[in-house]
Each structure stands twice: as structure tokens, then as C-alpha cells.
Amino acid sequence: MRVVVIGAGVIGLSTALCIHERYHSVLQSLDVKVYAERFTPLTNTDVAAGLWQPYLSEPSNPQEAHWNQQTFNYLLSHLGSPNAADMGLAPVSGYNLFHEAVPDPYWKDVVLGFRKLTPRELDMFPDYSYGWFNTSLILEGRKYLQWLTERLTERGVKFLLRKVESFEEVARGGADVIINCTGVWAGALQPDPLLQPGRGQIIKVDAPWLKHFIITHDPERGIYKSPYIIPGIQAVTLGGIFQLGNWSETNNIQDHNTIWEGCCRLEPTLKVIHNYGHGGYGLTIHWGCALEVAKIFGKILEERKLLRMPPSHL
Amino acid sequence: MDTVRIAAVGAGVVGLSTAACISKLVPRCSVTVISDQFTPETTSDVAAGMLIPPVYADTPIHKQKQWFKETFDHLFAIANSAEAEDAGVLLVSGIPTEEVPFWADVVLGFRKMTEDELKKFPQHVFGQAFTTLKCEGPAYLPWLEKRLKGSGGLILTRRVEDLWELHPSFDIVVNCSGLGSRQLAGDPKIFPVRGQVLKVQAPWVKHFIRDGSGLTYIYPGISNVTLGGTRQKGDWNLSPDAEISKGILSRCCALEPSLHGACDIREKVGLRPTRPGVRLEKELLAQGSRRLPVVHHYGHGSGGIAMHWGTALEAARLVSECAQALRTPAPKSKL
């Protein structure tokens, strides 16, 4: 059984790992390869701050809520390990801020200690009058991809730097199953009118006294168009840009200023060091999706009568 | 008497903050801080600086709460300003245990965790969560010194063996010498409680964690994480003990396994200046015809940073009373 995963961001690598973990011992032979044009540290995943937090409103596909929760629980189970930090994983607490009262999010019982902010806490943020406090998880994209790459390499999964022009070309090369994890560029392999880039720009700064995430919300502007501050393992990510349809991968001065002014207003203790980037979404949901793909893969194997025994539920 | 000359003995967090409060509150005075130890060599530099107060057996609870609240409010304002990094003050959330303490409503968001939550984070199996402040000596003390000099205060490096050495150059002495008061104030009630800690690199740790007794703790700071600790009564030894360091690392790794990846481990020792209660009172020293008004301000134990500003405000008020008495001509001054 030859599997080719196209894409080496969080989705591609976690899917490859999920499949290999579940089916390696139940198949006579399982050969998994990852083809991608970009590997860490050049993927979208590498730019993301990596905070586990879904959008506020319920997803149109209720499966996504389930996958989000599966991802959280999967990461939680790794917290007690000495290697959690190697994975880029750490618990983090913080604030979601609003200009007016809003209903609780559907994921309030997934995170830990969800509660409303007290008046004294809101005093710290004079532009906002309502908010939540909860403990969630950080999964730093770059570290996680390095960790996934190590796990896959240990398992004999090969990585190839390749620009894939079509599924046919991969099939002709000898793939039995192709898993398309090409993210924002999926349209190049198969047109998808529903897929658009949601361009994000961020600033990474050295501000190690910031131990909490702070995410503001402005329902009129939309998600991630309002300032946010997310501490990572080594640096703090400042953001607040989400532009549908914008494919530009270069830094924009206006966006930089928007982020910087918004975040300094939110957190006066900020001081800049360096660096720019661009942003995305995906770490929150990746493992749930990978499990889903593994299930689909399992069905394919069953159809082709390739399974010696039922797959283990890892 | 025109300018009242005030000497503050001791340059830890208590000495410097008292000098700062006196500068602000006592009219027409000069303040000089005198010490043989300065940052980064003081006990305050070793402490993690968490705003989690201790309990003083001899001090009424309402007074402890007042001191803690005044300190919390003072540092909270700094934490939310552009000075936060310079002053070494940051906001930290975490999970310790204990019943509801007297200071639960001074810190932020204090609440008990639910059964569900406790089940979810099995290794952090503790009762409560809250957000408090951390105030780091190596940054805060220089910040205080800068402020003091800015308002005309002076700093002198000198070992004081006897408070009378300060007479007649100074009119009032504020004694903030911590353990030094055994000698300087002849106080047998003050004794060291030795604390050994490890300062490590583990930047992924964003929460503080403490066990039930508070003996084992993990306090993330601006540029390192403090792991602790010990409470060794009557132990004056300032050299780190390798066996103790191993024990601290092992206890902390049990609470937070990811600490196995901590690196750049540095051992530090501080001697907490411990007393059944903070000594905060006036004393008029007399020798023949010489008089020296002294305000004692020492004995904060493990609560130096947590209580410093509240007690410093009170010490400054006592100094003000002494200054007032010196300025009032009277047949016999009643201090």
C-alpha cells in the first residue's frame, strides 16, 4: 500500500502520522511519502501563534466541533509528558475581550476553567466591557512540525521536495491512495470556489513578561480583525489581520501599523524587537481532522480487502 | 529644625521602598539609604517575588490584608503601565491549593476548580485558581533606587555595626536591616528561615504551580523560572547544597514533568528574615543625654515582596510622626 500525502504543514504531517500509527501494523506493507513544495519553517503553520481556540460561532458542519474537541483532548493527553515542550505544547491562560455581553462559546467546556471576567480584571482593558478567562493550550507551529517530522522519520516516512502539478502525475508515480493536504493552494490541483486565502500578518516580539493571551473581538469587523496578543514559548505573537481573497505573501506597512497600534493600546507594556510574517488557522482543528482522514483511509482499505485485522484505536 | 535628615539602614526591598515612601510623604526631609549589600546581592534578589502573602501569627488579619492590598494595588498599576518591564512586574495565573485565604478577594479571579476541571488536569490536582503579580528583585530594586535618586535621595555603601554610629549626622533612623536587627536592634525574635531555589530556563511554563504546603513551587518570571524550595529554620548557610537542589528539581518535575527539559540551572540561597510578626514601631534610643528616634521596620519573613509597600507606607507615617515631634518645641518631647 503506497500512500502519498501532498502538503507538509500541520495537516499533512499529522495526517501522515495518524495513518501510519493506526495502519502500519495491520497492513502487509505500508509505504507513506510526503510530497510538498514547502517544508518547515516555510509553511503557513510555522507562522501561526498556535493557540487552541476555535471561532466563536458554531461551525456549519457540526463535525468540526467534534474534531476541535478531539484535538484538544489529544494534546491534553500529552501534557503530562516530559517532552511536551519539545512538541511545542504548553498550557496557557488568558483573556477574550468584547465591547458588550455575548453568549458563551460552544467550546467553553472543552477548555479549562472557563469563566467571565470580574470588574477588576476588566479594569485592565479600558476599551472593553465584557470578557472571558480560560486556560487553553499553545501548540507552536514550528516546534510541532519539527516534532512531527522526527516522529515520521523514525517510522521510515520519506519526505520529497516536489511541486505536484496534478493528482494524475502522483498516481502514475505509483500511489495507491493520495491524501490532499495542500491547504490554501488546493485550488491548483482541483478547483474549489469555496476556498480562499484569509491573509494574516503578524509581528513577533520579545516580551517574556507577557504570560497570558489577550484576544479582542469586534463583531462588526469579523474574526481576527481585532488586535490579539499570544505568548509563545520564545516570542510573543501580535496580530489582528484577516483579509479574505488576498494572496500577497509580503509584509504590508499599513497592516504592520494596524497591528502595532492596536496591540500597544491593548497592552501598554509592549516593546518591539523584530520580525514580521503572515498568518492562518489550523492547529486548533488538525488532529480531529487527521483522525477523520484515517477513518476514511480505513474504509478504503476495507473496500480493497487489504486489512488483516481491524485497526487499533490508538 | 529645617530639613530632617533620615537614614534608612538596609537596601533590600523593605529599605528602598521605605526610603521611597518617606521621600514622598515626609515634608522637608532628606533620605539616605545605608547598607553594605545592594542588589543583586540582597535576599530580595533571590526571592521569586510572588504576591502570595504569608501569615503573620502576631499581626491582626485585617492589618495583613491592608498591607497586602496596598502592595498589590501599587504593583498592579505598574504592571499595566509602560514601566512594567523596567520595574520587573508581571501578571501570572496559576494553580495552588489551600482553603480560601484571607486575601482571596485581593488577587484577581480567585475561584475553586470544579470536579470536572480537576479530573482533566490530573497532575495539577489542586483546588483553586487565581491571577496575581510577580515582582522581581533584580529589576525592581534598581527601579526603586532610580526613583529614590530622582527625588533627591542618597545611597551610601557602609556596614553599620551600631545604630548610634548614625548620630548625630542623622535625626531619625529607619531600621530595615532584616536579619541584621539581631545585632542592630538586639532582637532575639528574628531568625533566618533558609530558602534554596533554582533559577532555570523553561520559557514554555506560563503558569505558577504550588503544592498544598507551598514548600514545592514553580514560579515563571520574566527571564527564568524559579523552582523551590526549602524552609530551614535557624540555618544561616548561604552556600547552595547540591543534594537539596536535586530534591527541588525532582519535586518540581513531579508537579510539572516538562521541567525535565529545563536548562541553565542556577542555584541560589536566601535567608528569610523571620519573626512572629513584622516589627513596625517607634523606639527612642537614649544614651546619656543623646536621643535617637528609630522606626523599626523589619521581620517580613517570606512576605517581604508581598507586603513591602503597605508596611513601607506605615513606616513612613511613623517617621512623619517622629519628624513632627522633632519640629515641635517641647520641654520633653514625647516620642
PDB file of all heavy atoms in Angstrom, chain A residues 46 283 285:
ATOM      1  N   ASP A  46       4.033  27.378  10.320  1.00  0.00           N
ATOM      2  CA  ASP A  46       5.172  27.940  11.048  1.00  0.00           C
ATOM      3  C   ASP A  46       4.893  29.357  11.528  1.00  0.00           C
ATOM      4  O   ASP A  46       5.494  29.827  12.482  1.00  0.00           O
ATOM      5  CB  ASP A  46       6.411  27.970  10.137  1.00  0.00           C
ATOM      6  CG  ASP A  46       6.940  26.578   9.864  1.00  0.00           C
ATOM      7  OD1 ASP A  46       7.574  26.019  10.777  1.00  0.00           O
ATOM      8  OD2 ASP A  46       6.694  26.051   8.768  1.00  0.00           O
ATOM      9  N   LEU A 283      -4.163  24.800  13.570  1.00  0.00           N
ATOM     10  CA  LEU A 283      -3.628  23.988  14.660  1.00  0.00           C
ATOM     11  C   LEU A 283      -4.733  23.544  15.600  1.00  0.00           C
ATOM     12  O   LEU A 283      -4.679  22.462  16.175  1.00  0.00           O
ATOM     13  CB  LEU A 283      -2.547  24.778  15.404  1.00  0.00           C
ATOM     14  CG  LEU A 283      -1.237  24.833  14.619  1.00  0.00           C
ATOM     15  CD1 LEU A 283      -0.492  26.124  14.842  1.00  0.00           C
ATOM     16  CD2 LEU A 283      -0.365  23.653  15.000  1.00  0.00           C
ATOM     17  N   ILE A 285      -7.602  22.548  14.946  1.00  0.00           N
ATOM     18  CA  ILE A 285      -8.501  21.508  14.466  1.00  0.00           C
ATOM     19  C   ILE A 285      -7.760  20.304  13.880  1.00  0.00           C
ATOM     20  O   ILE A 285      -8.364  19.295  13.535  1.00  0.00           O
ATOM     21  CB  ILE A 285      -9.458  22.118  13.408  1.00  0.00           C
ATOM     22  CG1 ILE A 285     -10.763  21.315  13.312  1.00  0.00           C
ATOM     23  CG2 ILE A 285      -8.778  22.236  12.063  1.00  0.00           C
ATOM     24  CD1 ILE A 285     -11.820  21.988  12.478  1.00  0.00           C
TER      25      ILE A 285
END
